[in-house]
Amino acid sequence: MPPAEPIVPPPPDRVARAAGTSARLTRATADPPWARALIIAAALIFLALFLVIPLAAVFVAAFAQGVGVYLAAVTNPEARSAIRLTLMTAAIAVPLNMVFGLAAAWAITRFDFRGKNLLTTLIDLPFAVSPVIAGMLYVLLFGAQGLLGRSLADRNIRIIFAVPGIVLATIFVTLPFVARELIPVMEASGTEEEQAAITLGATGWQTFWRVTLPKVKWGLLYGVIICNARAMGEFGAVSVVSGHIRGLTDTMPLYIEILYNDYDFAAAFAVASLLTSLALVTLLAKRFLGRRITDAPRVAAEGPGVDRRAA
Amino acid sequence: MDISSIDPRPTPRSGLSLGLILRLTAALALAIAIFGAVLGLQRTARAGQTMLNVSFDATREFYQEYDAAFAAHWRATTGQDVTINISNGGSGMQARAAIDGLEADVVTLGLAYDIDALSAKAHLLPANWQSRLPNHSSPYNSTIVFLVRKGNPRGIHDWPDLVRPGVAVVSPNPKTSGGARWAYLAAWGYALQAPGGNPASARDFVTRLYRNVPVLDSGARGATTTFAERGIGDVLISWENEAWVVLDHFGKDQFAIVYPSVSILAEPPVALIDQTVDRHGTRAVATAYLDYLYSPRGQTIAAHNYFRPSEPAAVHDGPSFPKIKLFTVDTVFGGWEKAQAVHFADDGVFDQIYQPGS
């Protein structure tokens, strides 16, 4: 017999929260129209000044010398190598951090154990230390003069000044994103459904896969997206471990700096616009996915309001 | 009720959307992996012998041209293809990277001390490396000059003009940049040799000079873009070739080069990294790469990129470099090792006189 999920009423705390929201909305609409217009205008002007205009400037500078120069800049072998390395680094770092973030958030919000506070603090460590220090950690560990340098050199394994170092540094700096995004979502969603599932005889794995994961999928997706954006854009940590070998260990951000320092400004902005576009595409993909799933027919009790808010 | 009754079939709603996300993620990762693998295969299929030149900042344009010329020369004489990879950055920073394991087959750095460090700290090459090639292993040399803005509005003509109050001087960090160390020593040498000059007056002069430096970039090229592209400062203390490259890129009507009355003979040396070439099996090609720098072709390319050729007779159509009085680090400072220990080591003179933001 399938579980009678549709007739489960929404948890009381959710009802309370919804009521609070509508109360606040009522108060906001009571403000005079000119105040609202002022606040909205201020927000829009701020966004335009600090976000839209600089972004647009990147694209203007990229095409300043024509489409031909732009295409040549993004298709030459060094640029292709930088794009490839950036995508590859993100393709390794993001799934790993997705798994780690899920596991960490699940452990922290669903279980009580010794060292839980320590784990929560450690997850924030990459946020707290400068990316340059993150890079230095790997140099101290894997560098030729480092702790493991001698034995790695004997086995002819190269980590820093090579692709593995770049991937490691990227994983380090992007480690908190998924977990940090998931922990509040998991905490807010409570444990009632999981308890119900376990009461009904589900195993831990089934509970996780069929109850917890579907509840937090939007938080997960959002965490993955910002994790990916940072993985592709990271500069400081990667710069320390890269060695800056043209066409070999330059990611897109490092390559942009090289072009800029070569006085090749049009090419620098061309690659910068491409990196920006990659970020914009991820954001658009998120919106597209969000709409598609929200528009799908659903059962009333699932609480479409919650999903719409998340999208 | 048993477990099988909980999930006998996939739940359509949540299962679909979640599955979609996971499948899309997996498909994306797979696509990127295939894309990368294809490009990666292309790369290995193309490359013959490969070597890495770890160089400093001011040689970017020079080695791009030289590497193409050498690859053609190597193919013509041996029939083999060679791919030369290059890494540019502040000379001291690049030396540090080589010590930490950046596997350079050759290094072409800004000053001898940085290569000495590779020998002393990491035993990458013998201590007598500088005697293995002509001219102290410096196939080209340069000097330190001033780059000023159009029309020289602040009237900068010689070293004393740099320490006037209110003149903003741009120069990179002597801790990480070779060019900056040459610039520092040039200023010190000028003050020492000026009438009535002594170590105390030189120290005072350099102290006042760095009081006029608002920002220290890590390498020569960063300092140059700070000055030329971002428009910060009244004068850039620069490698001579770096200043000429700026005129080429930004237009001769934007900036002017000022030659001081006296400056330092800057010798950027080159060296083979024995430990690396023996492991990579690149000794022959790396040796030829450095020797070719002394050939007429190598000397001509250096001159075209505004480095002063060490054998000027080999160059026929290069630019003419103004003759100015040049002193050497050996005569004024007793060699690089001493200059480094006194001035640039931790708690050396530079650390004592330079207080950021003061």
Side-chain angles (χ1 to χ4, degrees):
Chain A
M1 183 193 110
E5 203 181 295
I7 54 164
V8 174
D13 66 336
R14 196 173 284 170
V15 175
R17 243 186 301 129
T21 310
S22 65
R24 210 169 56 239
L25 278 177
T26 315
R27 251 178 278 122
T29 43
D31 286 337
W34 60 265
R36 266 188 295 159
L38 203 68
I39 290 166
I40 292 169
L44 286 180
I45 288 170
F46 188 86
L47 275 180
L49 272 181
F50 288 91
L51 212 64
V52 181
I53 292 176
L55 262 182
V58 169
F59 285 89
V60 169
F63 286 100
Q65 292 181 25
V67 179
V69 173
Y70 183 93
L71 287 179
V74 298
T75 54
N76 83 49
E78 283 181 9
R80 288 214 319 260
S81 152
I83 296 165
R84 180 178 67 229
L85 182 57
T86 299
L87 293 178
M88 195 176 87
T89 306
I92 299 171
V94 174
L96 281 178
N97 277 336
M98 182 170 122
V99 172
F100 166 79
L102 259 176
W106 199 54
I108 285 171
T109 57
R110 295 290 179 265
F111 301 99
D112 275 317
F113 54 93
R114 263 172 183 282
K116 182 168 154 172
N117 285 334
L118 185 69
L119 180 61
T120 319
T121 314
L122 278 179
I123 288 173
D124 281 339
L125 191 70
F127 274 159
V129 302
S130 159
V132 176
I133 296 169
M136 293 305 300
L137 295 178
Y138 289 105
V139 173
L140 286 175
L141 205 57
F142 300 118
Q145 315 298 316
L147 283 177
L148 305 173
R150 179 62 48 205
S151 58
L152 287 172
D154 290 345
R155 290 167 180 75
N156 217 359
I157 300 171
R158 273 188 294 173
I159 296 200
I160 59 164
F161 308 123
V163 175
I166 291 172
V167 173
L168 279 176
T170 305
I171 290 174
F172 183 92
V173 295
T174 57
L175 190 123
F177 285 93
V178 175
R180 270 289 137 210
E181 204 57 49
L182 281 181
I183 289 170
V185 177
M186 283 196 175
E187 261 168 4
S189 71
T191 54
E192 293 91 344
E193 280 123 328
E194 279 88 344
Q195 285 170 1
I198 291 167
T199 315
L200 293 172
T203 63
W205 181 246
Q206 287 169 328
T207 311
F208 172 76
W209 199 246
R210 300 202 171 272
V211 180
T212 310
L213 202 52
K215 278 201 299 188
V216 301
K217 61 178 185 267
W218 288 111
L220 180 63
L221 184 61
Y222 192 70
V224 164
I225 281 169
I226 53 170
C227 179
N228 180 56
R230 179 66 186 269
M232 292 197 300
E234 174 56 25
F235 179 85
V238 169
S239 178
V240 175
V241 297
S242 141
H244 303 277
I245 307 169
R246 285 169 188 247
L248 284 183
T249 61
D250 275 319
T251 60
M252 286 173 80
L254 300 182
Y255 183 59
I256 291 166
E257 192 207 23
I258 284 189
L259 289 172
Y260 186 80
N261 279 340
D262 285 351
Y263 307 130
D264 203 347
F265 302 122
F269 283 109
V271 179
S273 75
L274 197 64
L275 187 56
T276 312
S277 305
L278 283 177
L280 293 178
V281 163
T282 12
L283 289 179
L284 284 177
K286 177 187 170 259
R287 279 210 64 84
F288 170 76
L289 267 180
R291 188 162 306 145
R292 179 175 171 160
I293 290 165
T294 319
D295 288 350
R298 49 178 63 257
V299 183
E302 185 164 280
V306 176
D307 271 51
R308 213 178 290 136
R309 195 155 42 88
Chain B
M1 185 186 288
D2 60 13
I3 294 168
S4 63
S5 69
I6 286 187
D7 55 351
R9 64 191 170 84
T11 43
R13 267 174 292 101
S14 51
L16 179 72
S17 50
L18 178 70
L20 187 68
I21 293 166
L22 291 176
R23 274 199 296 276
L24 273 170
T25 312
L28 192 71
L30 191 69
I32 290 167
I34 291 170
F35 179 64
V38 168
L39 289 172
L41 285 177
Q42 274 181 351
R43 151 155 240 109
T44 37
R46 200 193 52 205
Q49 208 165 19
T50 303
M51 58 174 278
L52 173 63
N53 175 5
V54 170
S55 193
F56 66 111
D57 248 343
T59 58
R60 292 165 185 261
E61 290 78 12
F62 167 55
Y63 276 111
Q64 266 173 30
E65 193 179 339
Y66 176 78
D67 288 352
F70 174 74
H73 164 75
W74 185 250
R75 194 178 314 117
T77 50
T78 65
Q80 293 170 347
D81 280 326
V82 60
T83 305
I84 298 140
N85 292 313
I86 181 127
S87 166
N88 295 101
S91 184
M93 229 163 61
Q94 295 291 80
R96 187 69 242 175
I99 290 169
D100 281 331
L102 181 57
E103 293 190 2
D105 298 275
V106 300
V107 289
T108 55
L109 295 180
L111 45 86
Y113 177 80
D114 286 336
I115 303 184
D116 283 337
L118 304 187
S119 168
K121 295 201 173 107
H123 312 290
L124 294 173
L125 72 174
N128 69 347
W129 63 270
Q130 205 166 6
S131 60
R132 296 195 295 186
L133 285 166
N135 290 312
H136 314 108
S137 289
S138 298
Y140 39 79
N141 53 64
S142 188
T143 187
I144 296 296
V145 301
F146 308 148
L147 188 69
V148 297
R149 301 197 185 279
K150 178 171 71 175
N152 197 356
R154 303 303 295 256
I156 310 273
H157 300 292
D158 202 357
W159 289 102
D161 298 319
L162 302 187
V163 300
R164 288 202 314 252
V167 173
V169 179
V170 176
S171 184
N173 187 347
K175 292 282 196 171
T176 53
S177 158
R181 269 174 279 179
W182 289 114
Y184 172 104
L185 294 179
W188 190 285
Y190 161 81
L192 200 62
Q193 295 173 335
N198 56 55
S201 72
R203 183 186 170 115
D204 175 61
F205 181 82
V206 174
T207 305
R208 285 191 288 150
L209 174 65
Y210 277 93
R211 212 170 276 159
N212 279 352
V213 178
V215 54
L216 293 175
D217 285 288
S218 70
R221 191 49 65 93
T224 309
T225 47
T226 295
F227 178 77
E229 171 72 7
R230 293 166 56 202
I232 292 172
D234 302 310
V235 53
L236 171 75
I237 313 181
S238 165
W239 289 98
E240 180 184 37
N241 74 299
E242 186 80 358
W244 282 99
V245 170
V246 169
L247 293 197
D248 278 357
H249 275 277
F250 292 87
K252 290 186 168 47
D253 52 338
Q254 296 288 306
F255 301 97
I257 297 176
V258 172
Y259 280 85
S261 61
V262 58
S263 193
I264 195 164
L265 174 69
E267 294 182 304
V270 302
L272 186 78
I273 303 297
D274 298 67
Q275 211 185 71
T276 315
V277 294
D278 288 343
R279 198 163 60 235
H280 292 180
T282 48
R283 182 175 278 274
V285 63
T287 306
Y289 181 82
L290 294 184
D291 287 343
Y292 195 61
L293 285 168
Y294 291 89
S295 73
R297 183 93 180 90
Q299 293 285 297
T300 304
I301 296 172
H304 283 167
N305 287 281
Y306 307 107
F307 281 106
R308 298 181 174 217
S310 65
E311 281 154 44
V315 181
H316 302 297
D317 58 344
S320 61
F321 296 98
K323 286 196 171 40
I324 62 169
K325 220 174 105 194
L326 299 176
F327 57 84
T328 68
V329 68
D330 290 338
T331 55
V332 176
F333 298 95
W336 259 114
E337 201 172 332
K338 217 171 144 198
Q340 178 79 24
V342 171
H343 293 280
F344 308 120
D346 284 343
D347 298 324
V349 176
F350 178 75
D351 277 349
Q352 293 164 30
I353 65 169
Y354 184 76
Q355 271 115 30
S358 66

